[in-house]
Amino acid sequence: MGFALPVFALCLFIALMANDAQQRSADHMRLSLQQYLPAQLAADMLRTAAAVNNWRHGRTVADGPVSPAQTGMVPVPDPRIQSVIYSGRLWVWVPAAEGVYSALSAQSVTSALALTVSEGRLRMADGTDMNLALPSSVTEGSIVYLN
């Protein structure tokens, strides 16, 4: 009977330590996903642009949406990524998503082609208006890679 209290205290201590370790693991996983997902989405945007440009090479392509199936992309990129040929330019974009613009800028080596849509206008990182008409499906806050 004299060992019950120390054993109970030891079990309580172990349970608290396990809970703390589980919480730290969950926080670490959440932080990893916050960093990984934007980077993966940005990489898929650049991969999509490369695939569409390769597919377009040597073809006359009319304006309109371009699907991953048309280009033969494997694996298929994130379904949030949209691409369209509009006025002869390739537009690849995703709706506003935290961290994607900075990941896209970093992965494209701060390319001037990494843009955002603000106030209905396509803008560079410094806010300069690109003075280009937007395809109708590109919405406010979208992150755009223009080619």
Side-chain angles (χ1 to χ4, degrees), residues 56-117:
R56 286 173 67 183
H57 185 71
R59 287 188 169 121
T60 302
V61 180
D63 283 2
V66 180
S67 72
Q70 285 175 276
T71 65
M73 285 184 71
V74 175
V76 176
D78 188 294
R80 292 174 287 180
I81 296 172
Q82 302 295 312
S83 57
V84 67
I85 308 230
Y86 181 74
S87 297
R89 293 180 179 262
L90 172 61
W91 296 67
V92 179
W93 75 95
V94 294
E98 188 174 330
V100 174
Y101 182 74
S102 60
L104 181 61
S105 292
Q107 290 182 30
S108 66
V109 194
T110 62
S111 169
L113 301 176
L115 309 158
T116 58
V117 177

Side-chain angles (χ1 to χ4, degrees), residues 24-147:
R24 287 178 192 230
S25 177
D27 290 345
H28 178 71
M29 180 63 84
R30 189 172 19 264
L31 181 60
S32 294
L33 285 175
Q34 286 173 346
Q35 293 171 347
Y36 171 76
L37 292 178
Q40 184 60 45
L41 195 54
D44 273 359
M45 288 178 72
L46 294 174
R47 196 167 59 87
T48 298
V52 172
N53 283 329
N54 288 340
W55 173 77
R56 286 173 67 183
H57 185 71
R59 287 188 169 121
T60 302
V61 180
D63 283 2
V66 180
S67 72
Q70 285 175 276
T71 65
M73 285 184 71
V74 175
V76 176
D78 188 294
R80 292 174 287 180
I81 296 172
Q82 302 295 312
S83 57
V84 67
I85 308 230
Y86 181 74
S87 297
R89 293 180 179 262
L90 172 61
W91 296 67
V92 179
W93 75 95
V94 294
E98 188 174 330
V100 174
Y101 182 74
S102 60
L104 181 61
S105 292
Q107 290 182 30
S108 66
V109 194
T110 62
S111 169
L113 301 176
L115 309 158
T116 58
V117 177
S118 175
E119 299 172 0
R121 305 295 301 167
L122 189 63
R123 300 187 187 275
M124 297 175 73
D126 65 2
T128 303
D129 188 343
M130 293 291 293
N131 292 316
L132 293 172
L134 300 174
S136 60
S137 49
V138 177
T139 58
E140 184 71 18
S142 291
I143 297 131
V144 177
Y145 188 75
L146 185 64
N147 203 308

Side-chain angles (χ1 to χ4, degrees), residues 11-23:
C11 288
L12 183 59
F13 176 74
I14 291 171
L16 289 173
M17 292 301 291
N19 185 39
D20 184 56
Q22 187 176 21
Q23 182 63 37

